[in-house]
Amino acid sequence: MLFTDPVFLFAFLPASLVLYLLARRTFGGRAAILVLLACSIFFYGYWSVKYLSLLLGQILVNYLFARKLTRSQSRALLWTAIAVNLALLGYFKYRNFFLENVGLLTGWQLHLSLLFVPLGISFHTFQQITFLTDVADGEEDVPPLPQFMLFVIFFPQLIAGPIVLHREMGRQLTEVVAGKESTAGTFGPGFALFCFGLFKKVCLADNIAPFVDTAFQWPLHLQFIEAWAAAIGYALQLFFDFSGYSDMAVGLGLMFGFLLPFNFNVPFAATSMTEYWKRWHITMTRFFTMYCYTPLALAAHRVVDERGYSRIRAFALCIAVPTMITFLASGLWHGAGWTFIVFGLVNGLGLLINHAWREAKMPHLPRVLAWALTMVTILVTLVYFRSDSLAQAHSILRSMFMPEHILLPLWADALAAKIGVSVGFFEVFQAANFTAHFMLLIVLFAPLAVLLPNPAMKPKKTSPSLPLAFAVAGMIWLTLGLLGQPRTFLYFQF
Amino acid sequence: MSDASREEILAKLEDIFRSVFADDRIVLTEGTTAADVTGWDSLQQIKIILACEKKLGIRLRARDINALENVGEMITHLQTALAKTSRKQ
């Protein structure tokens, strides 16, 4: 059940809202939590009953681990719990990739069964690991089981995040149980934000997607202009798709009275790679920073401080190693494939250059140049991210950066003559109306992606007004007309 | 140092920030966040924490670094760490 599915929009969502609010008003917070839990279990079970039992089993095992960790705070037990979670993730998500590569290295003929990855496993497994770590460090108490289950399985954030920390959700759930909070002030902003996210997904991301798909289908036939349009188009599609989903998640949370963390802060306005990763998929970056980068980098800094290494060795140990390990893990988290690994490594390399530039106290680049360099790096990483194989990615990148010639399509011969460029046959962009439509979408969407602030950052400050009402009504009107064929959210595959 | 006031710690933090970011114009308040100081990222955060450890004679964990979302929270953490250190002594 996608957030864009009419079954979700017109049946599940209104029914679960009514049931939740009724339970809260009639039977109190504890009953409301149970109703919301039941709705969330139904939401996941609607997709797969088989994998619902896996999810519930994982939650129960982690709850038992957490109870034990409260008493002992043993590091061995924490590592065991983390290993169990990662083993589960590894089995479902990475076993074929691992076996394929073992087969390639050894020449063994391995018969691989079709991989079926349980929906949202990367997201909720990470969320449960953060909880276990927080409990082991004595920072979080273990709540009653229904509250813990809802913390993991709350349907707005279950499938593709945001990855919520227990300290963000636990207090809010306790307040519901105590009957303190109400949804009165948050429903309106939540609804507006949900509509905004729905609009981004259905009207923007899904509109540009067919053009991007066509371009990526013919990597060997792309001309210079086509390759750049494919990369930019995909960046816009991914941004509107995932940020649209994230806005919908935060909006849904608010409709039920819960504030979830936001995931995007105008990432394509970033003027450096470090800034980009502070703005893109923020809750995932936070996870990797907290649980991978910081412990590694802090340990390395202490060693370097103690032993007094040279600047280059210090840079390698304190910055390069933790950054590359973190981005390798982040790449692998996105998917089991070499394209994702290279996606992570190119990002890591971009960050290293960024850090090296700063550590060497090089002069600040002009803002426009810094922005352009950052965006080009991001486009390169996203070509890997979108491609099915390294060969496909390299073919597109070759057309972008090492074209044999720069041509304009035959139908643009008048323009070509004016600017002194040759024309040639374009296999992908051969139809003028296809190209004009694609270019128009890029020209319209790019400024929105670069300039539009994210309303999910301060959702409670959205106050009702006539312009907002018209904007929301307009977005609903446009969205309803396009709801017929919703595409799945890109991040659901992770 | 264990009974250091928030103002005293804020002043020390300001010195540390100016040195880490090589910018004498930095002025901190308890509400200052990473978004307010250009270049304040996870790497600079580690440098700030290590400088705090040296200046205040305390030891912090990776978790303490992660929990710090603004200067006010940082001061609270440092006060707690200072109190723990003085109890041990």
Side-chain angles (χ1 to χ4, degrees), chain A residues 130 133-135 137 139 165 167-168 274 278 286 289-291 293-295 297-298 301-302 305 318-319 355 358-359 361 364, chain B residues 20-22 34-35 37-44 46-47 49-50 53-54 59-67 69 77:
Chain A
T130 65
T133 313
D134 287 350
V135 169
D137 284 352
E139 299 286 330
L165 301 178
R167 64 168 173 260
E168 290 163 334
T274 44
K278 280 160 81 178
R286 175 176 71 173
T289 306
M290 287 172 80
Y291 297 99
Y293 176 81
T294 303
L298 183 65
H301 271 89
R302 290 200 199 284
D305 262 12
C318 294
I319 301 175
H355 284 312
R358 195 171 56 188
E359 293 296 307
K361 299 197 172 22
H364 283 287
Chain B
V20 168
F21 291 101
V37 181
T38 311
W40 185 357
D41 58 20
S42 39
L43 175 62
Q44 302 305 318
I46 290 172
K47 290 182 184 172
I49 290 302
L50 289 170
E53 286 187 350
K54 277 184 192 148
R59 177 101 171 171
L60 295 160
R61 303 173 299 171
R63 159 165 294 285
D64 299 324
I65 300 172
N66 295 324
E69 284 175 9
H77 251 83

Side-chain angles (χ1 to χ4, degrees), chain A residues 193 196 246-247 250-251 259-264 453-459:
Chain A
L193 192 56
F196 185 59
S246 299
D247 291 349
V250 176
L259 182 63
L260 300 176
F262 58 89
N263 248 345
F264 290 90
N454 182 3
M457 290 171 67
K458 288 175 182 166

Side-chain angles (χ1 to χ4, degrees), chain A residues 434-490:
Chain A
F434 173 91
T435 310
H437 193 166
F438 190 15
M439 291 300 164
L440 182 70
L441 292 181
I442 288 180
V443 169
L444 285 175
F445 293 178
L448 289 178
V450 175
L451 301 172
L452 203 65
N454 182 3
M457 290 171 67
K458 288 175 182 166
K460 285 187 172 176
K461 290 196 173 165
T462 312
S463 49
S465 66
L466 209 56
L468 180 66
F470 272 108
V472 170
M475 286 189 290
I476 293 173
W477 178 67
L478 285 168
T479 306
L480 286 179
L482 294 168
L483 266 185
Q485 301 246 307
R487 288 167 152 258
T488 192
F489 289 92
L490 293 174

Side-chain angles (χ1 to χ4, degrees), chain B residues 1-85:
Chain B
M1 196 62 225
S2 62
D3 54 351
S5 69
R6 295 186 76 85
E7 289 75 22
E8 283 173 303
I9 297 179
L10 181 65
K12 285 186 194 298
L13 270 179
E14 205 164 74
D15 285 345
I16 289 169
F17 269 69
R18 287 176 178 179
S19 149
V20 168
F21 291 101
D23 183 354
D24 286 340
R25 294 164 303 173
I26 290 177
V27 178
L28 295 183
T29 67
E30 293 216 7
T32 306
T33 66
D36 303 318
V37 181
T38 311
W40 185 357
D41 58 20
S42 39
L43 175 62
Q44 302 305 318
Q45 178 90 328
I46 290 172
K47 290 182 184 172
I48 292 165
I49 290 302
L50 289 170
C52 286
E53 286 187 350
K54 277 184 192 148
K55 197 151 191 158
L56 302 172
I58 51 172
R59 177 101 171 171
L60 295 160
R61 303 173 299 171
R63 159 165 294 285
D64 299 324
I65 300 172
N66 295 324
L68 307 175
E69 284 175 9
N70 61 38
V71 170
E73 283 182 19
M74 199 177 259
I75 293 173
T76 307
H77 251 83
L78 293 174
Q79 270 188 320
T80 313
L82 281 166
K84 272 186 197 162
T85 311

